[in-house]
Amino acid sequence: MASYFFSIPKVYFGEDAIKALRQLDHKKVGIVTDSFMATSGKARYLIGEMPQASVSIFSDVKPDPSVEILQAGAAQFKAFKPDAIIALGGGSSLDAAKGIKATLEEYFPGHAIVLIAIPTTSGSGSEVTSYAIISDPQNGRKYPLIAEELVPDYAILDPHLVLSVPRQVAVDTGMDVLTHAIEALVSSGANDFSDALAEKAIALTWQYLPAIFQDEKDILARTHMHNASCMAGMAFNSAGLGLVHGLAHAIGGMLHIPHGKINAMLLPFVIDWNARHAPHALPRYLKCAAIMGIQTGTQKPTLNALIDRIREMNQRFGIPATLRDLGKDLADFESLRQSLISAALADGCTASNPCQPTAADVDLLLTHIAG
């Protein structure tokens, strides 16, 4: 059977990457972002590169965008009929822009809209993926939408746009990058191409994320982390993700925990579970350990050292080990347990985990993460 990788969007990276926007001069450009980006000068920074463009800004994106946000953005742009949409912001703005573009193209069949993704956090990798996470606040759920039409046409990785990201957000989103790369490496859909990108993303994250924690203004570390985020996105777009993300979408959606933080908390538990239940995943985790410079001789101690090192990094970054440590109400958590199990098992990311968990397996992992 032929394997399919994916066609990568054009990726512009480095300190002059933003100049790629000059191709939009004299075009109608919609910018999808949040209120902070619109008022902090970041949107103005983009507009400065395309002074002859007609620009309409939709700045009502909220964290975990809902269907209502997509409809509001599409309604604003309907009369404007943009030639291009720029997604400016973190994962929420990128996901919202994907949904708004898809909604608009239903209004205007035959009018192709160019989608340009400019991430301002180094985390989601959404600038190069066919994924968008859309929320259903009524039911406290997050749903991954997956469609080729959601892959942006261009991604612009400008390290200056992430310099102002606060330390805690940088490490939360950075641990999301590490989770993307590790899950892509052990996923049932892993292949030579996704492996190459995942392995490099692991190496860059392990080296440069602690440097950002030490010095938020380290432009070299920020540049490498921004590139790692994009590479990890390319890797999981091809290979898929796994049970960490399946659980994180459920727990994060229902208990309102930042996505990168809950991924980081779950990662050690799921590595341990997968290694015991999917023996073919063990050599892949040992590869992760080798990339991180962890080698203790035999397999089991090396795996345990990998898990311990990830826990130590979380601790250093101020990321709690359990929901109890995070200060969550465990009575609330218990009342949601059956819903969490169902949501994690139904999540599209769980489908590419190296082995398929049962309801009892998920239940046990929930007990571990509760603390």
Side-chain angles (χ1 to χ4, degrees):
M1 187 179 115
S3 288
Y4 170 64
F5 185 50
F6 63 105
S7 57
I8 303 172
K10 283 190 176 174
V11 178
Y12 297 90
F13 60 94
E15 296 202 31
D16 291 330
I18 203 69
K19 290 182 169 43
L21 289 179
R22 292 176 181 179
Q23 64 193 284
L24 296 182
D25 239 349
H26 306 286
K27 304 274 191 191
K28 286 183 171 182
V29 180
I31 297 178
V32 175
T33 191
D34 58 40
S35 57
F36 173 75
M37 288 292 153
T39 56
S40 65
K42 298 283 199 299
R44 184 61 43 199
Y45 173 61
L46 306 191
I47 293 167
E49 294 297 333
M50 42 180 188
Q52 307 301 316
S54 300
V55 177
S56 174
I57 301 176
F58 175 76
S59 59
D60 289 343
V61 175
K62 305 285 189 295
D64 305 324
S66 64
V67 173
E68 286 71 29
I69 298 273
L70 309 191
Q71 290 166 339
Q76 178 178 318
F77 291 142
K78 207 171 173 184
F80 184 60
K81 201 174 180 184
D83 302 304
I85 288 177
I86 296 175
L88 172 68
S92 294
S93 290
L94 271 57
D95 289 350
K98 290 177 176 185
I100 290 168
K101 181 211 174 198
T103 308
L104 276 177
E105 286 185 332
E106 287 181 15
Y107 289 145
F108 303 124
H111 176 66
I113 299 170
V114 173
L115 180 59
I116 298 170
I118 306 181
T120 59
T121 59
S122 304
S124 75
S126 187
E127 68 273 12
V128 288
T129 74
S130 57
Y131 289 67
I133 308 300
I134 305 301
S135 292
D136 173 7
Q138 240 96 43
N139 297 303
R141 293 282 299 275
K142 292 183 184 180
Y143 297 100
L145 305 180
I146 308 170
E148 283 306 308
E149 296 73 28
L150 298 178
V151 180
D153 300 288
Y154 301 93
I156 297 176
L157 309 180
D158 182 337
H160 295 288
L161 286 169
V162 293
L163 270 180
S164 59
V165 172
R167 176 183 279 113
Q168 194 57 55
V169 176
V171 295
D172 281 356
T173 54
M175 291 304 291
D176 194 17
V177 174
L178 186 66
T179 306
H180 287 157
I182 292 175
E183 288 218 288
L185 194 66
V186 303
S187 145
S188 61
N191 56 72
D192 288 345
F193 294 90
S194 62
D195 285 356
L197 290 158
E199 289 172 20
K200 184 64 175 178
I202 291 166
L204 289 172
T205 303
W206 201 247
Q207 180 173 355
Y208 289 105
L209 189 55
I212 293 170
F213 185 70
Q214 284 293 115
D215 176 10
E216 293 166 271
K217 300 299 179 191
D218 185 334
I219 188 75
L220 180 69
R222 290 282 194 174
T223 300
H224 283 301
M225 229 12 252
H226 216 30
N227 293 345
S229 176
C230 186
M231 288 175 195
M234 291 174 179
F236 82 72
N237 196 58
S238 170
L241 287 162
L243 184 54
V244 178
H245 272 78
L247 283 162
H249 291 148
I251 299 170
M254 294 187 205
L255 298 182
H256 310 293
I257 303 168
H259 179 65
K261 192 185 294 288
I262 188 61
N263 269 335
M265 293 166 66
L266 286 161
L267 184 59
F269 293 113
V270 175
I271 290 175
D272 180 57
W273 187 86
N274 274 342
R276 282 186 287 109
H277 292 83
H280 57 283
L282 180 57
R284 299 233 146 204
Y285 286 128
L286 298 177
K287 165 68 86 172
C288 292
I291 293 166
M292 296 171 180
I294 300 164
Q295 182 56 53
T296 64
T298 54
Q299 291 188 344
K300 185 63 177 158
T302 301
L303 179 78
N304 290 337
L306 168 67
I307 293 167
D308 288 345
R309 289 289 295 279
I310 292 171
R311 286 201 168 112
E312 285 163 16
M313 189 177 263
N314 281 342
Q315 190 174 15
R316 182 180 172 192
F317 291 163
I319 297 172
T322 65
L323 297 175
R324 183 190 299 278
D325 295 341
L326 189 60
K328 288 294 173 183
D329 183 333
L330 294 188
D332 265 5
F333 173 77
E334 287 305 327
S335 72
L336 293 166
R337 186 178 281 261
Q338 289 311 312
S339 299
L340 289 166
I341 292 169
S342 301
L345 290 173
D347 193 283
C349 295
T350 302
S352 46
N353 197 61
C355 65
Q356 287 308 295
T358 64
D361 295 325
V362 173
D363 192 38
L364 181 62
L365 284 164
L366 291 176
T367 298
H368 289 324
I369 196 68

